[in-house]
């Protein structure tokens, strides 16, 4: 089923990416729109949410976040609610927020 | 009234850490320097605690003081689970220890009784005062008991609102426990706008859950000041599925608009007195307005809410005050804990950027309001908001409610995510 295949792909890629995410944005010295959007997601997608079954985005690479958000948005991944959320963001916005999670 | 300075105040409270003292004496310069500025946050609820934490996160050297009269905060979210009998008060109670110890926020247990906007000073009930460069206010709601003949605030001891969580939650729960099987529970539901649009309907769902197990001959009547409500189709689908005809909802134009409450007779009157509904347990949720303190400071409009610049949540009345959460007029964003949480982050970013002389950004945020119909049947309404054309507006094509006619496993997953949402957002707010 499409959901689990993407999920496994996501896990593999996220492990591979874990070390590089924060370096790319280390020199940033102002609060950006992408950072604020990522902060919004963190209400659910944090370590406490993860204990109850919502992925902690701090542990997932920007690339995987981007591909999964697009999959949710375009109907390529089953969801209860993320499809409804993902439709609210453009590719640029998804990209802009994706780099911040590992930094929080 | 002593005119305490910040230094005196800190001394009086024994606060002498280096971090706390750096900001003193350079208040005028502070507005040019985000790191040295002193931001005071009024209210340690969903909006205020978030704003305080994210100010520190976005600008670690900033001095942040949070003023909240209660030692702990009981979330309204989850309080319907307590009323339904499957969650404890402890599980929905949060303290400020992590804000103090881990985030370096100066948390003061006191109530703000006034603000002098010229000298940028808040006055405390205990007699002290605190100076600010920027003031953030998230005082939540107060009730308009005057709008309902026959009942006033003191009657909440007999007819609880349970719309601020804590002892009111426990009171309603204990009344339901004492009610005989076959009794009638009546909810008088509020007019728009009010805190948590799906909240009343989640509450009667979970009271029905309790009745079904323990008092199956009982009846639930909702007398509503509105003709429709949030997630109505999904609630009614769930009610029919789980509770048969136990819950009877009467819309405003169907005799639901209550005109008077007879407290002694535990009776709600509607339809010019032709309809009288007697209750064994009554839950009157009054019409609402912003918390008293923002009225006292002169920040409210004629409807009793605070108009703000919806890009930054800066008050339209005062350049140094930001108001968020239920108290604010926030465009399409509902009065929810999740909205208040998002707005706390928006305010934190706006203040940090302003203090660094940077242009404001156009914020975008996501909101989800989950409700339980049974402990295993969850439903949701989601939205993504963007600041556009001067207001917080829903992004077209996004958001919406859970699909109708879904499987029980879908409903169960949303019930699990309801609990995940709770665990996540309370960690985000109180650490
Ligand atoms: C039954 C129910 C269920 C709900 N369920 C949900 C849900 O599932 N999801 C959701 O997102 N939202 C839910 N909500 C809504 C949510 O609780 C509120 O929208 C949210 O708490 C608003 O945050 P706030 O910061 O504006 O106010 P509050 O959280 O009420 O915080 C206000 C704080 O300010 C303090 N304060 C007030 N005046 C002063 C003063 N003068 N000086 C100092 N401090 C002061 C108060 O003590 C309080 O701690 C629910 C509400 C209810 C009633």
């Amino acid at each position: 089923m499409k959901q689990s295949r993407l999920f496994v792909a996501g896990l593999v890629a996220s492990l591979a990416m874990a070390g590089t995410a924060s370096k790319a944005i280390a020199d940033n010295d102002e609060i950006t729109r992408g950072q604020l959007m990522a902060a919004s997601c963190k209400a659910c997608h944090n370590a406490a949410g993860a204990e109850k079954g919502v992925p902690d985005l701090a542990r997932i690479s920007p690339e995987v976040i981007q591909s999964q958000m697009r999959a949710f948005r375009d109907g390529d991944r089953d969801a209860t609610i993320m499809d409804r959320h993902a439709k609210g963001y453009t590719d640029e916005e998804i990209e802009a927020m994706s780099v911040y999670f590992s930094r929080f | 009234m002593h005119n305490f300075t910040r230094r005196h105040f800190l001394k009086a409270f024994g606060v002498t850490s280096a971090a706390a003292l750096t900001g003193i004496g350079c208040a005028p310069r502070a507005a040019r320097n985000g790191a040295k500025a002193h931001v005071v946050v009024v209210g340690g609820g969903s909006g205020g605690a978030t704003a305080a934490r994210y100010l520190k996160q976005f600008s670690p050297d900033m001095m942040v003081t949070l003023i909240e009269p209660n030692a702990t905060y009981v979330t309204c979210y989850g309080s319907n689970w307590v009323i339904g009998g499957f969650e404890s008060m402890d599980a929905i109670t949060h303290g400020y220890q992590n804000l103090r110890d881990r985030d370096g926020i100066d948390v003061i247990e006191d109530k703000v009784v006034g603000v002098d906007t010229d000298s940028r000073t808040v006055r405390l009930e205990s007699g002290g005062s605190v100076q600010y460069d920027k003031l953030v206010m998230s005082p939540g709601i107060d009730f308009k008991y005057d709008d309902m003949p026959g009942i006033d605030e003191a009657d909440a001891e007999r007819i609880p609102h349970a719309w601020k969580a804590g002892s009111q939650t426990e009171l309603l729960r204990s009344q339901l426990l004492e009610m005989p099987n076959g009794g009638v529970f009546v909810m008088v539901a509020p007019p728009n706008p009010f805190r948590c649009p799906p909240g009343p309907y989640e509450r009667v769902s979970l009271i029905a859950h309790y009745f079904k197990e323990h008092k199956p001959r009982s009846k639930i009547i909702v007398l509503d000041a509105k003709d429709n409500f949030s997630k109505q189709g999904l609630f009614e689908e769930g009610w029919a599925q789980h509770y048969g005809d136990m819950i009877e909802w009467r819309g405003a134009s169907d005799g639901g608009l209550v005109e008077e409450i007879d407290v002694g007779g535990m009776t709600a009157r509607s339809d010019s007195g032709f309809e009288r509904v007697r209750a064994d347990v009554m839950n009157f949720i009054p019409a609402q307005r912003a918390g008293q303190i923002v009225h006292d400071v002169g920040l409210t409009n004629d409807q009793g809410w605070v108009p703000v610049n919806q890009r930054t949540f800066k008050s339209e009345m005062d350049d140094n005050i930001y108001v968020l959460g239920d108290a604010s007029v926030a465009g399409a964003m509902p009065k929810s804990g999740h909205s208040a949480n998002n707005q706390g982050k928006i305010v934190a970013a706006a203040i940090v950027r302003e203090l660094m002389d940077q242009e404001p950004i156009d914020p975008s945020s996501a909101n989800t309001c989950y409700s339980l119909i049974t402990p295993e049947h969850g439903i949701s309404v989601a939205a993504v908001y963007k600041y556009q054309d001067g207001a917080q507006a829903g992004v077209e094509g996004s958001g919406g409610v859970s699909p109708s006619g879904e499987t029980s496993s879908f409903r169960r997953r949303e019930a699990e995510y309801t609990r995940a949402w709770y665990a996540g957002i309370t960690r985000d707010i109180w650490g």
Side-chain angles (χ1 to χ4, degrees):
Chain A
M1 147 186 181
K2 55 193 175 179
Q3 187 179 1
S4 48
R5 198 186 61 231
L6 274 168
F7 185 64
V8 172
L11 273 184
V12 172
S14 81
L15 291 175
M17 283 302 300
T20 57
S22 55
K23 225 163 67 195
I25 48 161
D27 56 353
N28 183 297
D29 68 347
E30 70 176 78
I31 310 302
T32 65
R33 184 163 188 267
Q35 188 171 3
L36 191 51
M37 284 193 289
S40 175
C41 308
K42 250 195 68 194
C44 300
H45 291 281
N46 60 33
E51 286 167 21
K52 307 252 176 186
V54 169
D56 180 359
L57 295 183
R59 308 177 70 85
I60 299 181
S61 76
E63 286 69 20
V64 173
I65 290 169
Q66 290 169 28
S67 70
Q68 297 309 293
M69 281 292 278
R70 276 190 242 106
F72 281 131
R73 186 189 62 195
D74 303 338
D76 295 330
R77 182 173 168 183
D78 288 341
T80 55
I81 201 160
M82 281 312 299
D83 49 344
R84 291 179 262 157
H85 280 308
K87 289 191 179 87
Y89 300 101
T90 63
D91 279 340
E92 293 71 35
E93 288 171 335
I94 290 170
E95 222 177 288
M97 67 175 112
S98 68
V99 296
Y100 284 100
F101 294 103
S102 55
R103 199 189 177 197
F104 284 123
Chain B
M1 173 74 231
H2 335 258
N3 195 3
F4 266 18
T5 64
R6 166 93 185 143
R7 182 188 294 275
H8 289 132
F9 178 77
L10 286 170
K11 266 196 186 153
F13 281 79
V15 180
T16 51
S17 80
L21 290 168
T22 11
I24 297 160
C26 57
R29 221 160 38 92
R32 299 277 81 148
N33 182 343
K36 293 280 159 63
H38 184 210
V39 179
V40 173
V41 180
V42 181
S46 312
T50 304
R53 291 196 78 213
Y54 275 81
L55 280 163
K56 275 302 224 187
Q57 188 168 129
F58 290 155
S59 181
D61 296 332
M62 183 182 276
M63 276 181 63
V64 179
T65 302
L66 176 70
I67 304 171
E68 160 65 47
N70 302 306
T72 55
Y73 178 91
V74 182
T75 59
C76 285
Y77 21 110
S79 68
N80 287 333
W81 312 347
V82 174
I83 290 166
F86 57 96
E87 191 55 275
S88 68
M89 286 298 284
D90 271 0
I92 61 166
T93 303
H94 305 270
Y96 297 98
Q97 210 55 44
N98 289 335
L99 274 73
R100 283 196 178 96
D101 296 348
R102 288 197 210 145
D103 300 319
I105 295 162
D106 186 8
V107 183
I108 295 174
E109 205 177 304
D110 211 327
K111 185 176 173 184
V112 173
V113 292
V115 178
D116 180 350
T117 53
D118 291 332
S119 65
R120 285 187 273 121
T121 308
V122 301
R123 280 186 287 115
L124 304 178
E125 196 170 50
S126 66
S129 62
V130 184
Q131 264 222 312
Y132 62 84
D133 295 307
K134 298 290 173 193
L135 185 64
V136 177
M137 307 184 83
S138 191
I141 54 156
D142 271 313
F143 300 114
K144 301 205 291 196
Y145 273 95
D146 285 353
D147 285 10
M148 182 63 74
I151 187 165
D152 62 37
E153 199 157 358
D155 297 319
E157 292 309 313
R158 173 118 192 245
I159 299 180
H161 51 74
W163 220 243
K164 293 183 184 184
S167 57
Q168 279 279 304
T169 311
E170 293 177 294
L171 177 61
L172 180 55
R173 171 72 186 149
S174 69
Q175 290 182 347
L176 292 167
L177 282 171
E178 283 158 26
M179 193 191 88
N181 187 8
V184 179
F185 169 78
V186 175
M187 170 186 279
V188 180
N192 290 322
F194 64 101
R195 154 180 287 184
C196 195
Y201 315 98
E202 179 188 61
R203 175 170 292 173
V204 291
S205 304
L206 297 179
I207 290 175
H209 164 75
Y210 166 68
F211 284 172
K212 187 180 172 181
E213 280 185 8
H214 299 279
K215 292 167 184 170
R217 288 188 288 109
S218 307
K219 176 94 192 136
I220 295 173
I221 300 171
V222 184
L223 300 172
D224 210 323
K226 306 175 292 298
D227 272 323
N228 45 57
F229 60 88
S230 170
K231 295 185 268 192
Q232 183 164 359
L234 290 166
F235 274 113
E236 289 177 341
E237 181 185 304
W239 293 347
Q241 185 184 337
H242 301 290
Y243 306 123
D245 56 7
M246 185 186 275
I247 300 172
E248 183 190 331
W249 176 78
R250 291 188 203 162
S253 47
D254 234 1
L257 185 66
V258 173
E259 290 148 356
E260 186 176 358
I261 291 174
D262 168 6
V263 176
M266 287 289 276
T267 302
R269 293 184 203 159
S270 63
D271 221 3
S272 312
F274 283 107
E275 286 271 3
R276 283 156 194 251
V277 180
R278 224 200 82 82
D280 293 288
V281 175
M282 193 185 289
N283 174 205
F284 169 53
I285 306 169
Q288 294 157 34
R289 61 187 176 91
Q292 183 59 40
I293 185 66
V294 286
H295 296 268
D296 298 344
V297 182
L299 302 175
T300 47
N301 64 17
D302 289 346
Q303 289 77 47
W305 305 100
V306 178
V308 295
N309 175 335
Q310 291 176 26
R311 195 184 197 187
T312 57
F313 287 81
K314 182 183 279 192
S315 158
E316 285 183 357
M317 319 286 184
D318 189 297
D319 209 38
N320 296 308
I321 303 182
Y322 294 73
V323 181
L324 68 153
D326 290 350
S328 67
V329 179
M333 296 176 97
K335 296 191 186 303
S336 72
H338 204 153
S339 291
N341 170 257
N342 276 314
Q343 292 158 9
K345 297 165 187 178
I346 293 171
V347 164
I351 288 177
V352 170
R353 287 186 64 94
E354 183 182 323
L355 292 172
M356 312 240 315
D357 281 329
Q358 294 160 346
E359 284 295 303
I361 43 185
D362 292 344
S364 170
S365 58
N367 180 78
T368 304
C369 284
Y370 281 107
S371 304
L372 294 179
I373 293 178
T374 77
E376 307 301 326
H377 182 143
I379 58 173
S380 60
V381 55
V384 176
Y385 299 103
K386 277 181 190 160
Y387 175 78
Q388 48 198 23
D389 305 326
Q392 289 285 344
V395 177
E396 220 175 300
S398 73
V401 298
S402 312
S404 62
E406 264 297 346
T407 60
S408 57
S409 89
F410 189 98
R411 303 297 188 216
R412 193 170 320 112
R413 270 199 288 158
E414 287 221 271
E416 284 161 16
Y417 288 141
T418 303
R419 294 177 176 85
W421 173 87
Y422 186 90
I425 201 163
T426 52
R427 175 76 60 88
D428 195 39
I429 297 172
W430 292 283

